[in-house]
Amino acid sequence: MTSDLFAQIGARIRAALAASAPAVPEDVLARIEVSPPREAAHGDMASNVAMVAAKAAGMPPRALADALAKALATVPEIAAAEVAGPGFLNIRLRPAALHAVIPAILAAGEAYGDSEIGTGQRVNVEYVSANPTGPMHIGHCRGAVVGDALANLLAKAGFDVTREYYINDAGAQVTALAWAAYWRYLQAIGSEIAAEDFAARAPSGLQYRGDYLIAVGAALAENHGRSLAAADGGIAPPEHWLETVRDFAIAAMMAGIREDLARLGVRPDVFTSERALVASGAVEAVIGRLAQAGLIYEGVLEPPKGKLPEDWEPREQTLFRATRFGDDVDRPLRKSDGSATYFANDIAYHADKIGRGFRTLIDVWGADHGGYVARLRAAITALAGDGATLDVLLCQIVHVLKGGQPVRMSKRAGSFVTLRDLIEEVGRDVVRFIMLTRKNDAQMEFDLDQAVAETRENPVFYVQYAHARARSVLRHAAEQGFPTTPEALASVALESLTDPAELALIRRLAGWPRLVEGAARAHEPHRIAFFLYDLASDFHILWNRGREAATLRFIQPERPAETSARLALVAAMAVVIRSGLAVMGVAPVEEMR
């Protein structure tokens, strides 16, 4: 029998349905849900079985619910099944069914909640993918945490996950980086050219002026001396130095990004270079595939919305028939100079992922790329039909507060909150946890003061405190001679766990496997943070009940049986917190200082 109590009762419900209506098809059975009731007074679980299966069973929902309730009343784990409203089933479990959750957790350890729903399915999760033009800032941080936690969550649900970083090392932004690094190089060799004069010579001005490039310029000077500069120490022709400086600067930026990601606990399995992809001929190959399929033509687009006709220069372009696959307009694949657009490069990149055997693609982007989703999905449908799916998680902006005031950031000026600064300020685990306390598409405020506060309003502290309290209880119990190993506690009698607060905590623990599967299917790792906060709240409530009523204290030397039962519950709660924190990439705290 499964250690997932909700799945166990779900199997009982399906068996009862099969006895009453054997012809219900699989697609209807798949829509049957077993979930916590909206109100605790309604029981331990609720099911929509009669509502979704009534038509296929050829019975009114209420009549089917009545028949199922009678059948379920004979199931050993079920104390009562009641019909509510138009045909919902409310189920009350016997205490023994709830108690059985505890030894199941202790036997499984942190693997409790592991699922097989993803078995055999390869998933590519691409996240961060920041342009290698500077250090990672807090905006990149949110996508990094969301993507990494989602990858952990999918792995726990049984999927074969590859974590990938796409290096945007082609195009105008890395050329601008090279010019900025060259300016720092000229400074390092003693050139006195002013920033404004240099910017006037650079194709796109001097976009990146942050101090982080000073070390890059110094390293270039150390490696190349004055050989990259003109004879007078000024700007040499770009063909003399551009490729060398660009490659050096990209490598330096990526080395820093890798270090920052490691500080955050993020270690991608694969780094894919856009420049290498273009050089391999993959872009031209994918354009050829689309052309062969009749999905490319030469045409003129309508003016963009909001632009006056005189602002628009109509010209013939190579266009992809994106509207055939649900996009608003057809999309250009080549620029006026004949080179491929960024979109064409991106199609080639995703075609490469599909070619590597991935059928589920998940991209984590900044919210400013929201308008890009429909065209990329159109391209993937054109290339793979129903053979591949793309889900894009858009991460909204993070506002950093300190002392109630916003902390400004500006990447080009260099006066931004870097990821490294943030981790040094509050710690890696705090950063990761807080980044998951809002759904990715909701804006959030990262309050630096609250992040280190020891209050219930700080979810990191609240959850970590619950785990530390549990570990403290187990240490004190061991000092008094009580068995506290998972093996010993898995076999203790649990009949004494009857208080409503104890049963509420067990119900919460029982919901962990269901939560993992639901969050994995929805690609919503923030649900883990919400669950852990609620679990910690249930535990703290039970802790406080023990302070108010001596009979509910965890350790009572004069009542060894009751003490052992409560120690088993405490240990199980700590296991589930560690299991959840592992998905979030956060280390549990053994004791609070």
Side-chain angles (χ1 to χ4, degrees), residues 49 77 100 137 139 206 228 234 236 322 364 385 390 434 457 545 589:
V49 55
E77 298 93 342
H137 57 64
L206 188 52
L228 300 179
V364 182
L390 170 68
I434 290 181
E457 284 66 39
R545 289 287 306 279
V589 172

Side-chain angles (χ1 to χ4, degrees), residues 209-230:
R209 304 191 185 199
D211 290 347
Y212 57 84
L213 288 174
I214 293 176
V216 176
L220 282 166
E222 182 177 352
N223 290 354
H224 298 278
R226 302 177 65 85
S227 65
L228 300 179

Side-chain angles (χ1 to χ4, degrees), residues 293-380:
L295 297 174
I296 288 179
Y297 67 100
E298 299 297 318
V300 178
L301 291 175
E302 293 294 321
K305 293 180 180 179
K307 291 216 174 190
L308 298 175
E310 56 264 32
D311 297 328
W312 176 248
E313 295 183 8
R315 60 182 176 82
E316 196 170 74
Q317 295 175 283
T318 301
L319 302 173
F320 162 58
R321 298 185 186 276
T323 51
R324 187 175 292 184
F325 304 96
D327 198 4
D328 294 336
V329 296
D330 292 339
R331 302 293 179 176
L333 296 183
R334 294 195 188 280
K335 302 174 186 176
S336 57
D337 62 1
S339 63
T341 61
Y342 180 82
F343 177 49
N345 292 0
D346 224 13
I347 296 175
Y349 171 50
H350 286 77
D352 177 71
K353 288 194 276 192
I354 294 170
R356 284 184 267 145
F358 296 106
R359 294 297 174 264
T360 300
L361 311 179
I362 303 173
D363 291 356
V364 182
W365 298 347
D368 56 334
H369 290 81
Y372 205 76
V373 176
R375 71 188 71 178
L376 189 54
R377 282 183 176 155
I380 289 173

Side-chain angles (χ1 to χ4, degrees), residues 103 118 198 274 373 391 521:
F198 184 91
E274 181 184 4
V373 176
D391 186 20
R521 285 193 174 101

Side-chain angles (χ1 to χ4, degrees), residues 60 81 93 99 116 133 137 145 172 201 205 238 279 291 334 341 357 368 383 451 515 592:
L93 300 176
H99 293 156
E116 297 180 354
T133 54
H137 57 64
V145 172
R201 297 278 301 275
R334 294 195 188 280
T341 61
D368 56 334
L383 290 170
L515 187 283
M592 304 299 285

